[in-house]
Amino acid sequence: MAISTSMIGPPAAAEAKPSGAQPGVAARLLAVDALRGLVIVLMVLDHVRDFFHLSAFTADPMALDSGDAGVFLTRWVTQLCAPTFVFLSGLSVWLQRANGKSPAEVSRGLLTRGLWLIFLELTVIGVGFNFGWWIFLQVIWAIGFGMIALAVLSRAPVRVVLVLGLVLIGGHSLLGAVPAGMFGDFELVWRALAERGPVPTPAGLVLVAYPALPWLGVMLLGFGLGPILVDAGRLRARRALFTGAILTAVFLVGRGLNLPGLDPAPWAPQSTALWSAFSFVSATKNPPSPAYVLMTVGLALILLAAFTRAAGRLTDVLVTFGRTPLFTYLMHIWVAHGLALAAGTARGVAPGAFLDTITDPSRLIAAGWGFGLPGVYLAWIGTLLLLYPPARWLEALKRRRRDWWLGYI
């Protein structure tokens, strides 16, 4: 069996199906791939918006005073992506264990996956986003670090892992009270683990978008809930639905009461009912607050249960993306950024303005680059159309062959 190095563990339907499985088992495991594919499609939308929207570099898309509900919702729906990727990483590890992999095999696979993802984050991914050298520590970094940590923690009792995950989710705000300067030469390491923000270094600017320790908590939650959601190597749809409903209910009640410690940004009534609702669901993503985790993981589990009954062409497309997540992730950055460069050049924007896009967006801002939401959605559809054929090809190749290197793309 090939070692998979996808962002969130092995494609469940392809590699986690137990021998002698009943027909319903495959459908339930396909649901994991379909959910993964859905959040990849949404993730592409988010990053296409970054490259194509006219206010991507000048305004917060979820600002409650913007008055632009379409931009808010376009950004908000993508809040599902990162926590679902990370949560399914932990759940996928439990699926491997439930499917008979030895602790040594699991740990070895996690270690190699984690190191590979961090390497990609520091090279192919960061350069693809910026079209210039910089160090961008975002979700792939967080997943890579989480896999390395889980290589050790997966050998501990699952209840211990679950409790540790809950502690990290609920108490990570305490990490901010630790001054990074106390770590001396290892200050950057601490910031990468616990603090979000830019860090100047002799090697250039380092942007820590996803501090790893809080997101490790989400991964450990996925692993720790494995025994509840998975039985004899099979995903239990009713348990997923019930667990998702419980998490969502806790979010609704806790957020409604603005319980202390649930989120650093309490919701508040706005000028209209719609924007009051937007305030309610604007939970803090980075680092992920307990409210944010409850909201997004709860929704992800409800969708996971729904996908066990989904069928049709659209589901097949999602499954294709869900079985080639790392490949699609790497490709979409370069494709979307490249399309932006081509479209900008066609509109008279100097091609050089699309280099160092994130570290120096001033040239794009001065050129008035960008489109409204209709243009963003057209670019999103175009990007997906370009991504699907190679993803389909790779999915078919992985079904035919089990070469070890196929697990690393």
Side-chain angles (χ1 to χ4, degrees):
M1 181 181 296
I3 297 175
S4 173
T5 318
S6 73
M7 289 184 293
I8 55 174
E15 297 183 24
K17 182 178 177 182
S19 59
Q22 299 173 358
V25 175
R28 287 190 287 273
L29 293 175
L30 276 171
V32 177
D33 290 327
L35 176 59
R36 185 189 292 127
L38 173 64
V39 294
I40 286 173
V41 167
L42 294 176
M43 173 204 64
V44 173
L45 171 61
D46 192 33
H47 294 154
V48 166
R49 181 191 58 79
D50 286 336
F51 291 124
F52 280 87
H53 194 246
L54 54 86
S55 65
F57 298 110
T58 59
D60 177 4
M62 291 182 64
L64 295 176
D65 59 355
S66 71
D68 195 327
V71 173
F72 180 97
L73 289 171
T74 299
R75 172 57 174 160
W76 182 83
V77 73
T78 66
Q79 300 290 288
L80 183 66
C81 299
T84 303
F85 282 141
V86 178
F87 179 86
L88 287 180
S89 297
L91 181 60
S92 294
V93 176
W94 180 262
L95 273 168
Q96 293 180 60
R97 280 189 37 169
N99 213 29
K101 273 194 173 183
S102 70
E105 288 179 305
V106 171
S107 294
R108 184 167 57 251
L110 285 170
L111 180 61
T112 56
R113 277 195 289 265
L115 292 173
W116 175 239
L117 292 181
I118 292 173
F119 171 77
L120 291 175
E121 184 78 282
L122 297 175
T123 54
V124 178
I125 296 171
V127 174
F129 272 113
N130 195 44
F131 275 13
W133 170 254
W134 74 322
I135 300 176
F136 186 28
L137 301 181
Q138 48 102 45
V139 68
I140 301 300
W141 142 254
I143 293 175
F145 174 84
M147 287 182 172
I148 294 171
L150 199 52
V152 177
L153 294 172
S154 63
R155 295 172 179 253
V158 68
R159 291 182 180 179
V160 172
V161 176
L162 178 59
V163 169
L164 179 57
L166 293 173
V167 168
L168 285 172
I169 292 170
H172 67 72
S173 59
L174 299 176
L175 298 175
V178 180
M182 69 178 290
F183 293 94
D185 293 339
F186 295 96
E187 177 180 350
L188 176 59
V189 175
W190 174 254
R191 289 184 181 275
L193 295 177
E195 294 186 10
R196 184 172 186 264
V199 184
T201 73
L205 180 69
V206 175
L207 178 59
V208 181
Y210 284 70
L213 286 177
W215 288 99
L216 173 62
V218 180
M219 185 179 292
L220 299 184
L221 178 66
F223 182 87
L225 290 179
I228 296 174
L229 303 176
V230 177
D231 185 20
R234 298 178 297 173
L235 174 69
R236 294 297 192 182
R238 289 184 179 179
R239 296 180 187 178
L241 178 61
F242 180 75
T243 304
I246 291 295
L247 295 180
T248 302
V250 174
F251 164 75
L252 292 173
V253 174
R255 183 68 166 164
L257 298 174
N258 273 330
L259 293 180
L262 197 65
D263 197 283
W267 80 279
Q270 303 296 310
S271 58
T272 66
L274 177 63
W275 284 93
S276 293
F278 287 172
S279 176
F280 189 90
V281 298
S282 294
T284 302
K285 176 181 179 179
N286 258 321
S289 70
Y292 177 81
V293 175
L294 288 167
M295 177 181 70
T296 54
V297 174
L299 177 58
L301 288 173
I302 292 171
L303 289 172
L304 182 62
F307 272 124
T308 62
R309 297 181 178 275
R313 179 58 179 164
L314 178 58
T315 301
D316 291 342
V317 171
L318 295 180
V319 167
T320 293
F321 284 132
R323 287 179 172 174
T324 57
L326 181 58
F327 175 80
T328 302
Y329 187 91
L330 296 174
M331 286 284 294
H332 95 276
I333 300 167
W334 290 82
V335 170
H337 201 165
L339 285 177
L341 189 155
T345 301
R347 291 184 62 185
V349 179
F354 290 90
L355 306 181
D356 297 315
T357 301
I358 301 178
T359 53
D360 181 18
S362 61
R363 293 163 295 172
L364 290 178
I365 296 171
W369 162 250
F371 298 87
L373 275 185
V376 170
Y377 277 87
L378 284 175
W380 173 49
I381 293 170
T383 301
L384 291 174
L385 290 175
L386 290 173
L387 291 172
Y388 182 72
R392 184 69 173 169
W393 170 81
L394 182 60
E395 179 197 17
L397 181 64
K398 287 188 173 185
R399 283 200 305 266
R400 296 195 307 269
R401 300 175 60 171
R402 285 294 182 265
D403 298 354
W404 67 269
W405 57 270
L406 286 173
Y408 288 83
I409 58 175

